[in-house]
Amino acid sequence: MTSNLLDYDLEGLAAFCEGLGEKRFRATQLFRWIHQKGATGFDQMTDLAKSLREKLPASAHIQSLKVVSRHDSADGTIKWLFDVGAGDVIETVFIPESDRGTLCISSQAGCAVGCRFCSTGHQGFSRNLTTAEIIGQLWFAEHFLRTHLGRDERVVSNVVMMGMGEPLQNYSQLLPALRVMLDDHAYGLSRRRVTVSTSGVVPMMDRLAQDCPVALAVSLHAPDDELRSNLVPLNRKYPIDDLLQACSRYQLAAPRDFITFEYCMLDGVNDQPEHAHQLVALMRKHSNEGLSCKFNLIPFNPFPASGLKRSGMPQVMAFAKILMDAGMVTTVRKTRGDDIDAACGQLAGDVQDRTGVQKRIASQRQGMLKGIKVVSKEVGV
Ligand code: SAH
Ligand code: SF4
């Protein structure tokens, strides 16, 4: 079997070239052809030595993802479903805004964390995506969009790891993909324009801080351990204090940055004024460890199996006001792509279970939302 070159960051590709008896700098040329020009065939790579072009097909190929479908929203949001084999389907969403184009990427087929309000969590874990499948979503979207929109320059300006799956439970495949996103010979995205969202895998947050300190979003959803453990089962392993300490350590590696806390607003569950006051107290407690944060309140996108309801807008705004009055930067997200089920908690995938029975599963997704700024006060607490 030949190697899929989308599996490599530049270092990996250099090692691959050396393995073929080629000079390392050849890797940079190859890397640019693949990621900047979207090449899929070696014969396109005209500045590559002919001998290498002839040698490559025997040991390598460039394979992105198989599209199942594409849905275009009236608001410009585009959702793709990709078939990753064995009945697993993953989703990628592009959200255009006036000043940016954000791509929301999946990291796993399914998810093992099992959050109560998340349909991917209800669906269970199928498998980790490979580096090629993670970066392949960006490769595919970027080159599709350039052609589709008739643009020569970069279309995707921001990436959020907020599609299906828990990225930090797929660290070894995630890391090379992040490096490709940041590499100037590939997509050249700045560290602050790539966000990893996590439900709080503490040891891997520390690894990420050392290896590749991109922007971090932490899915908090509750101000105390009892409630959070109920909503996000991983909290039993890594409780809130450990999580927030890990956030403070993360900021040592990425000073001047904020940690974004995501908070999914669930009617009557975590959306009461006392929860907001508890959050303020919690953040104050951790602010002397150097933690500076902002809050992103996400209206829950319901699905029947959850038994949960979306908080009313007045409730969300009252909650936001308490946080803002305490000096915390707070945003409320507005859904995008509702008409194509691309909004948070609305993406759907056809997933085949291990017995081969086709099941239609509404996978609750996120990150498909447009942040609307409610207020911007003093930074930190
Ligand atoms: N596993 C990672 C990243 C994917 S989930 C994480 O949990 O952070 C990205 C965000 O979408 C998380 O904040 C998650 O809590 C939120 N989310 C999941 N299901 C949702 C739903 N039904 N409605 C609104 N937000 C949801
Ligand atoms: Fe997994 Fe994130 Fe969904 Fe929780 S919210 S089940 S961690 S994808």
Side-chain angles (χ1 to χ4, degrees):
M1 208 166 97
T2 66
S3 300
N4 187 358
L5 299 187
L6 287 183
D7 263 322
Y8 298 123
D9 58 13
L10 187 52
E11 195 51 39
L13 198 57
F16 178 82
C17 285
E18 281 184 332
L20 292 180
E22 294 287 333
K23 294 268 185 308
R24 287 172 74 91
F25 80 90
R26 294 281 177 217
T28 309
Q29 289 179 302
L30 255 173
F31 205 57
R32 285 165 164 263
W33 274 107
I34 298 168
H35 294 290
Q36 294 189 338
K37 301 196 180 117
T40 49
F42 300 116
D43 45 2
Q44 290 168 262
M45 305 180 179
T46 42
D47 61 356
L48 223 56
K50 194 155 177 276
S51 58
L52 178 58
R53 268 189 276 156
E54 285 168 359
K55 199 187 312 179
L56 278 167
S59 53
H61 63 283
I62 302 158
Q63 166 96 50
S64 88
L65 292 156
K66 202 155 101 198
V67 187
V68 178
S69 61
R70 187 185 101 218
H71 303 270
D72 294 10
S73 163
D75 69 14
T77 301
I78 302 176
K79 176 180 81 168
W80 291 275
L81 267 72
F82 295 109
D83 178 357
V84 291
D88 288 324
V89 175
I90 58 153
E91 294 154 331
T92 307
V93 176
F94 175 67
I95 308 128
E97 290 174 79
S98 55
D99 59 341
R100 68 178 78 176
T102 303
L103 194 71
C104 180
I105 291 185
S106 296
S107 57
Q108 299 179 312
C111 182
V113 177
C115 299
R116 262 182 65 195
F117 49 84
C118 174
S119 175
T120 307
H122 280 244
Q123 166 181 332
F125 177 67
S126 184
R127 72 168 173 87
N128 280 328
L129 298 186
T130 63
T131 296
E133 288 165 337
I134 298 171
I135 203 66
Q137 295 169 66
L138 175 57
W139 184 94
F140 182 91
E142 177 63 40
H143 299 295
F144 169 86
L145 289 165
R146 277 190 209 175
T147 312
H148 190 65
L149 304 173
R151 298 241 305 256
D152 287 334
E153 75 280 25
R154 188 167 70 187
V155 180
V156 176
S157 64
N158 295 63
V159 168
V160 291
M161 297 302 307
M162 292 185 183
M164 302 170 83
E166 169 48 58
L168 295 187
Q169 286 190 337
N170 185 16
Y171 191 74
S172 63
Q173 299 299 312
L174 174 74
L175 185 60
L178 294 177
R179 289 189 166 137
V180 178
M181 292 172 199
L182 303 191
D183 201 306
D184 283 339
H185 297 294
Y187 301 93
L189 298 176
S190 82
R191 221 173 37 76
R192 289 190 178 84
R193 287 176 177 268
V194 174
T195 301
V196 167
S197 177
T198 181
S199 55
V201 189
V202 165
M204 294 300 142
M205 289 165 64
D206 287 330
R207 291 271 300 274
L208 189 66
Q210 297 313 314
D211 294 339
C212 192
V214 294
L216 188 68
V218 171
S219 297
L220 194 57
H221 308 310
D224 68 73
D225 281 321
E226 195 186 339
L227 183 56
R228 188 164 192 270
S229 296
N230 182 274
L231 296 172
V232 183
L234 192 68
N235 191 70
R236 296 194 190 102
K237 199 162 181 192
Y238 306 115
I240 292 178
D241 274 336
D242 294 1
L243 176 59
L244 296 186
Q245 280 162 19
C247 290
S248 303
R249 290 195 297 276
Y250 196 89
Q251 281 190 307
L252 294 176
R256 298 193 309 278
D257 287 9
F258 286 109
I259 305 279
T260 301
F261 289 110
E262 292 167 287
Y263 198 99
C264 182
M265 298 294 285
L266 303 163
D267 186 39
V269 175
N270 65 354
D271 65 344
Q272 300 300 301
E274 61 263 31
H275 295 122
H277 290 297
Q278 276 177 272
L279 271 184
V280 170
L282 186 67
M283 293 303 146
R284 288 224 164 104
K285 184 172 134 200
H286 285 273
S287 65
N288 49 26
E289 291 161 9
L291 178 62
S292 52
C293 61
K294 59 182 180 188
F295 272 86
N296 224 321
L297 306 182
I298 314 173
F300 171 58
N301 286 300
F303 60 105
S306 70
L308 297 161
K309 287 199 297 249
R310 175 189 285 195
S311 306
M313 241 330 150
Q315 196 67 35
V316 176
M317 296 321 261
F319 198 95
K321 186 169 185 310
I322 295 170
L323 299 181
M324 290 174 329
D325 286 349
M328 289 159 60
V329 178
T330 305
T331 57
V332 177
R333 282 184 187 178
K334 179 172 166 276
T335 46
R336 288 284 302 268
D338 284 345
D339 54 337
I340 56 163
D341 288 350
C344 184
Q346 288 186 323
L347 294 191
D350 280 323
V351 176
Q352 198 167 33
D353 71 17
R354 290 210 164 76
T355 60
V357 180
Q358 278 285 345
K359 294 187 294 185
R360 171 107 180 137
I361 294 171
S363 62
Q364 304 306 306
R365 303 300 342 128
Q366 60 299 313
M368 321 315 169
L369 308 168
K370 181 184 176 188
I372 52 157
K373 204 158 217 171
V374 174
V375 76
S376 143
K377 277 197 162 186
E378 238 173 86
V379 164
V381 284

